[in-house]
Amino acid sequence: MIETKRLGLRKLTREDADPLHEILSDAEVMQYYPATYNLDAAKDWIGRSMDSYQKNGFGLWAVILKESQDFIGQCGISLQNIDGAYVPEIGYHIHKLYWNQGYATEAAKASLAYGFQNLGFESIFIHTYIKNNPAQRIAEKIGMKKIKEYDKHFSAHNLIWRLVVYEMIKNEFISA
């Protein structure tokens, strides 16, 4: 569906449940999430993306290494509630064996371009836990600007976390 120099991004399928679960169940990968995910939750994650493909024409995609065809993570655009507004947001998780090689940045940049060029969004966001410096660096590397912080209540986990929000506006992306 989307190709970069090293990656292919394609729709998630039910067959991706095990490799996605391996990522989402890893405490180190999920350290900036309220909890890890079991296999059923990973399947639900895929189901929500598949529903979004049908309803919205986009969702989170599998990240595949073109050279080996290995599934290394997920990245894409989903509608997220950011401080009370549902907006397009780029999310990503890369298997820790592939960290610090630029894959998340490459996939996020491709998702950003796709959102502006193919989906017609006027702005796209990334939001993350305030302590998630790696995700914030990715947002900055792809040209996003920090616009605010807010507190989000995760009722299922009885947590309140401070989140940081980054935004890219379409006309800034075109001129970049």
Side-chain angles (χ1 to χ4, degrees):
M1 185 172 159
I2 299 171
E3 287 197 23
T4 68
K5 181 179 178 185
R6 302 178 296 166
L7 304 173
L9 280 66
R10 61 153 173 81
K11 290 180 179 179
L12 287 164
T13 68
R14 301 269 179 224
E15 289 75 34
D16 296 320
D18 287 334
L20 182 61
H21 173 248
E22 185 176 338
I23 295 165
L24 299 180
S25 67
D26 186 300
E28 186 177 6
V29 173
M30 300 301 287
Q31 66 186 302
Y32 301 114
Y33 265 63
T36 58
Y37 286 64
N38 63 27
L39 182 57
D40 286 339
K43 289 177 181 177
D44 289 345
W45 181 292
I46 291 170
R48 284 190 304 276
S49 279
M50 293 172 79
D51 290 345
S52 183
Y53 305 149
Q54 293 297 317
K55 182 179 177 184
N56 303 313
F58 59 89
L60 298 173
W61 300 300
V63 178
I64 308 297
L65 280 179
K66 285 168 58 173
E67 186 175 298
S68 65
Q69 294 301 300
D70 289 338
F71 179 105
I72 65 164
Q74 62 82 42
C75 181
I77 302 171
S78 62
L79 293 177
Q80 294 291 322
N81 180 344
I82 298 180
D83 203 14
Y86 282 88
V87 295
E89 192 246 3
I90 296 173
Y92 34 85
H93 289 94
I94 300 295
H95 194 291
K96 67 184 177 184
L97 294 176
Y98 299 95
W99 284 359
N100 299 311
Q101 298 177 52
Y103 294 126
T105 301
E106 191 171 326
K109 188 173 185 177
S111 297
L112 187 66
Y114 188 87
F116 289 138
Q117 296 167 358
N118 298 81
L119 300 172
F121 291 127
E122 292 300 317
S123 60
I124 300 174
F125 299 83
I126 288 177
H127 78 303
T128 189
Y129 183 43
I130 193 80
K131 294 181 180 180
N132 189 345
N133 292 320
Q136 292 177 56
R137 280 195 305 274
I138 290 166
E140 292 164 0
K141 284 180 188 177
I142 66 172
M144 294 184 135
K145 292 180 176 55
K146 180 178 172 181
I147 60 167
K148 68 178 175 177
E149 296 177 10
Y150 75 102
D151 292 327
K152 183 171 183 173
H153 183 247
F154 294 91
S155 57
H157 305 283
N158 197 28
L159 294 171
I160 297 175
W161 277 11
R162 188 77 174 165
L163 300 181
V164 59
V165 180
Y166 287 81
E167 179 184 30
M168 170 69 79
I169 298 170
K170 185 176 185 174
N171 64 3
E172 291 174 0
F173 174 76
I174 293 169
S175 65

